[in-house]
Amino acid sequence: MKEIILCKYGEIVLKGLNRTSFEAEMLRNIRRRLKPLGEFKYISAQSTLYITPLSDDIDIDEVVLKLSKVFGIAKLCRAVEIEKDMDAIFETAKVYLGRALKNAKTFKVAAKRSDKKFPLKSPEICAELGGRLLECFSHLSVDVHNPDVTVTCEIRDNGAYIHDLPIEGAGGIPVGTSGRALLLLSGGIDSPVAGYMMAKRGVQISAMHFEAPPYTSERALMKVERLAKKMTDYCGQINFFCVPFTRIQEEIKEHCPEELFTIIMRRLMMEIAQRLAEDYELTALVTGESIGQVASQTMAAMVCTDAVCRMPVFRPCIGMDKKEIIDISYKIGTFDISIEPYEDCCTVFTPRHPKTRPVLAEVEAAQAAFDFEPLIKEAIEGITVKKFKIG
Ligand code: ATP
Ligand code: MG
């Protein structure tokens, strides 16, 4: 049976006059994802995008998997489209959900009639279709609260649709509708999650990674690149900037007090990130920081970091426990890459006793002991850029 996919819009439906531009952006994102899988017809109607595969060899499981990672879609249904006729509806339900019904003990019919011209009302559709299915599958009984199979029948303007329970979509709003930001991407667990969370709210993410060869290895960089590539499943295309940071770190070590090492390093990371962001018209920075997680993530430390920032710094993991962050990283497929044991430039120069309550004036004075400006310029000139396309 020829299946189509119904994508039910999420928050987009609340967007009033801006709704068309949100829909257009989501459609662009969907087309980009599905293009490698074949040709499709797209029709938008009644807060739903109808996606019809145009050839029989398209792998629908793969299509659904890709769509489940597109922000803006609240729910997805694999369905069969039929004419609005109760005989056709019954025959289709019997065959399309036949195997599931044979293996089930209980079922129910759920009906939604958005085409009010259809002669039967929703409860009548349920009664008629349910009755006919019961005659056909006599081992079944009806359970309206916790059925093994939910035969859903939607009567819409375009036709009638039969499907099982919908699949959860990615939610959020379409990437590209909320501006562009630069994510500071380490090889850890938190920053990919932070990028995912911003993308979920429609932000187009670019990523910046600081490396410190020879203290950090080529393989450590390759790991971060794989993380960025993995993030494209949800975030769409990612421009990836790699900053050579070794000289700056060595000079901090040489000239600044050890206990302030991390905080000064973070201020310089922010400085470099925002200069690049300004050049590329990225209007905010994003980090994976979570308050209290480590010494550089106390509120006092963040005050010192943010003092150098001329643009907003978003920290979507700020109020999350590590366990909550890990749960998301599992879900988005970055966890297994993040836990690979490679060094990060932050960890190779960690002070023995980092100051958890740095005072801004002290940090500024310590940083002023050395003129970092030429090295900042040199680091920016040394940046390499890569584009990661949707996988
Ligand atoms: P993560 O799991 O994201 O690495 P973390 O808990 O290890 O976070 P830190 O190492 O203190 O915390 O880093 C805090 C944030 O600083 C990271 O979430 C990331 O946004 C940024 N960051 C740290 N190291 C780098 C790096 N080498 N390149 C780019 N950004 C980095
Ligand atoms: Mg880290």
Side-chain angles (χ1 to χ4, degrees):
M1 265 184 165
K2 200 164 164 11
E3 288 184 295
I4 75 161
I5 296 131
L6 309 181
C7 304
K8 312 270 178 98
Y9 298 163
E11 256 179 71
I12 290 181
V13 297
L14 308 172
K15 293 292 174 209
L17 291 175
N18 292 328
R19 179 172 163 167
T20 17
S21 62
F22 279 77
E23 274 190 50
E25 196 65 57
M26 188 173 83
L27 184 57
R28 262 197 294 278
N29 295 341
I30 290 174
R31 280 179 190 277
R32 267 190 219 121
R33 290 237 183 20
L34 298 191
K35 204 165 169 218
L37 303 183
E39 297 283 319
F40 299 86
K41 184 176 83 185
Y42 298 92
I43 295 174
S44 172
Q46 295 183 296
S47 301
T48 301
L49 182 68
Y50 299 71
I51 304 182
T52 312
L54 295 180
S55 60
D56 293 335
D57 57 347
I58 289 176
D59 181 346
I60 304 287
D61 287 337
E62 189 67 20
V63 172
V64 171
L65 184 68
K66 295 236 179 219
L67 290 171
S68 70
K69 297 175 181 173
V70 177
F71 294 124
I73 302 174
K75 285 192 184 345
L76 287 160
C77 308
R78 292 172 79 137
V80 176
E81 187 177 56
I82 13 137
E83 59 192 289
K84 291 183 251 185
D85 167 85
M86 281 313 289
D87 287 339
I89 289 170
F90 164 65
E91 288 301 330
T92 304
K94 189 173 85 176
V95 177
Y96 183 51
L97 298 176
R99 195 191 304 169
L101 288 168
K102 268 194 203 113
N103 294 329
K105 289 200 174 73
T106 59
F107 85 118
K108 79 168 179 181
V109 176
K112 279 187 212 137
R113 185 185 65 134
S114 49
D115 171 10
K116 300 296 178 203
K117 289 195 234 80
F118 190 71
L120 301 188
K121 295 196 173 111
S122 298
E124 292 164 349
I125 299 170
C126 289
E128 164 137 10
L129 183 56
R132 288 169 79 168
L133 286 170
L134 266 179
E135 271 170 32
C136 193
F137 299 91
S138 50
H139 69 286
L140 284 176
S141 58
V142 174
D143 180 346
V144 288
H145 299 297
N146 194 18
D148 296 333
V149 177
T150 302
V151 177
T152 309
C153 171
E154 297 193 50
I155 311 287
R156 296 171 152 260
D157 292 349
N158 291 359
Y161 299 85
I162 290 291
H163 57 84
D164 201 339
L165 277 184
I167 304 156
E168 276 305 304
I173 53 179
V175 168
T177 57
S178 300
R180 308 193 303 154
L182 181 60
L183 168 70
L184 279 77
L185 181 64
S186 67
I189 295 170
D190 309 327
S191 43
V193 171
Y196 157 85
M197 288 174 73
M198 295 306 291
K200 183 172 184 177
R201 298 310 303 162
V203 177
Q204 175 81 56
I205 291 294
S206 294
M208 172 172 272
H209 177 68
F210 293 83
E211 63 159 356
Y215 308 101
T216 61
S217 63
E218 181 67 25
R219 293 178 70 180
L221 173 62
M222 280 159 61
K223 167 189 165 178
V224 182
E225 291 186 353
R226 273 186 287 127
L227 271 177
K229 178 82 186 147
K230 186 75 207 162
M231 288 174 68
T232 63
D233 287 355
Y234 284 92
C235 302
Q237 180 174 303
I238 292 181
N239 291 339
F240 178 84
F241 302 94
C242 184
V243 187
F245 204 48
T246 316
R247 285 223 38 216
I248 292 185
Q249 288 195 291
E250 285 173 342
E251 296 302 346
I252 303 174
K253 192 156 195 242
E254 183 71 26
H255 300 282
C256 305
E258 185 184 321
E259 57 178 10
L260 295 179
F261 182 87
T262 309
I263 196 77
I264 293 173
M265 183 188 71
R266 299 198 57 74
R267 284 159 58 89
L268 290 162
M269 280 182 168
M270 292 303 205
E271 185 57 50
I272 292 172
Q274 68 190 333
R275 288 197 202 177
L276 182 112
E278 281 157 3
D279 280 353
Y280 280 79
E281 294 176 8
L282 311 168
T283 45
L285 303 179
V286 180
T287 78
E289 288 161 299
S290 158
I291 202 149
Q293 201 184 78
V294 288
S296 62
Q297 298 178 26
T298 60
M299 196 153 2
M302 285 186 224
V303 166
C304 295
T305 313
D306 281 6
V308 297
C309 295
R310 301 177 291 277
M311 55 176 60
V313 182
F314 295 126
R315 299 176 168 97
C317 301
I318 197 73
M320 292 168 76
D321 291 350
K322 195 73 184 183
K323 161 99 177 43
E324 294 169 304
I325 301 173
I326 287 175
D327 287 349
I328 297 180
S329 81
Y330 264 126
K331 188 182 91 171
I332 64 174
T334 53
F335 182 77
D336 287 343
I337 308 174
S338 291
I339 58 169
E340 289 174 15
Y342 295 110
E343 62 293 338
D344 181 57
C345 72
C346 286
T347 48
V348 284
F349 288 89
T350 311
R352 279 160 298 182
H353 303 289
K355 204 160 196 170
T356 51
R357 289 199 196 147
V359 176
L360 181 57
E362 255 174 55
V363 174
E364 284 173 346
Q367 191 174 333
F370 184 79
D371 179 14
F372 286 100
E373 185 55 32
L375 290 188
I376 291 175
K377 290 211 173 87
E378 190 183 298
I380 291 174
E381 270 160 29
I383 289 177
T384 51
V385 192
K386 282 191 182 166
K387 264 191 200 334
F388 291 113
K389 298 223 158 80
I390 299 160

